[in-house]
């Protein structure tokens, strides 16, 4: 049996700031209130990936009865050197005084320069702003 550890080995990939449009709200859906939030753009900056977010992504949020929200997000990164990277993640947002965002991104690309991302399980922590959301994204080693 592996020894317990208190530190998860990670490598910082990038910061992602996504700009958001106004939500469409579908109250009282079978699994909770649905909130559909279009991603209108943004940027990715860091030691491993730099670029912009394309304006055709979105966040399909489900508000749950326990005052948390389930994230289902898909975005496309266009890197500064011309690669297209699809990023999708699911996560949990806690609401109330101590709002936290935790997510688990995965990537897909056909560009050889970034093919290493196809095998990365990432984790991300985030925070919301006025019309945007910012994440710190890490690869799990």
């Amino acid at each position: 049996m592996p020894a317990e550890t208190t530190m998860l080995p990670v490598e910082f990939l990038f910061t992602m700031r996504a700009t958001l449009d106004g939500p469409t709200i579908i109250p009282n859906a079978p699994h909770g209130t649905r909130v559909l939030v279009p991603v209108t753009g943004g940027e990715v900056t860091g030691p491993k990936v730099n670029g912009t977010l394309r304006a055709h992504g979105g966040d399909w949020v489900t508000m749950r009865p326990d005052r948390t929200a389930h994230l289902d997000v898909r975005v496309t990164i266009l890197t500064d050197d011309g690669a297209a990277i699809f990023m999708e993640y699911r996560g949990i947002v806690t609401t109330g005084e101590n709002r936290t965002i935790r997510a688990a991104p995965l990537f897909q690309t056909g560009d050889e320069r970034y093919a290493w991302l196809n095998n990365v399980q990432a984790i991300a922590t985030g925070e919301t702003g006025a019309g945007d959301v910012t994440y710190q994204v890490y690869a799990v080693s």
Side-chain angles (χ1 to χ4, degrees):
M1 180 174 283
E4 284 190 35
T5 177
T6 58
M7 302 276 294
L8 181 66
V10 296
E11 177 184 11
F12 178 64
L13 297 176
F14 56 83
T15 298
M16 178 179 79
R17 188 183 73 79
T19 55
L20 310 171
D21 200 357
T24 299
I25 300 172
I26 304 169
N28 305 315
H31 298 285
T33 297
R34 299 301 306 259
V35 181
L36 312 173
V37 183
V39 173
T40 59
E43 63 273 343
V44 172
T45 57
K48 299 292 184 177
V49 181
N50 289 281
T52 57
L53 293 179
R54 301 301 305 256
H56 53 259
D59 191 349
W60 292 263
V61 179
T62 303
M63 302 302 296
R64 302 186 319 188
D66 65 357
R67 296 182 38 93
T68 63
H70 176 263
L71 301 177
D72 180 1
V73 181
R74 294 167 186 90
V75 295
T76 304
I77 302 167
L78 184 59
T79 65
D80 290 347
D81 54 2
I85 302 168
F86 176 69
M87 178 178 165
E88 63 182 318
Y89 55 93
R90 289 186 168 53
I92 298 290
V93 179
T94 59
T95 58
E97 290 181 31
N98 297 319
R99 178 180 288 216
T100 60
I101 304 173
R102 303 291 182 259
L106 294 170
F107 306 92
Q108 296 179 44
T109 186
D111 191 294
E112 290 181 12
R113 297 168 295 174
Y114 295 94
W116 57 272
L117 280 170
N118 294 327
N119 300 313
V120 167
Q121 174 63 69
I123 57 172
T125 61
E127 58 188 43
T128 59
D132 66 5
V133 62
T134 302
Y135 288 94
Q136 305 301 314
V137 181
Y138 302 85
V140 177
S141 301

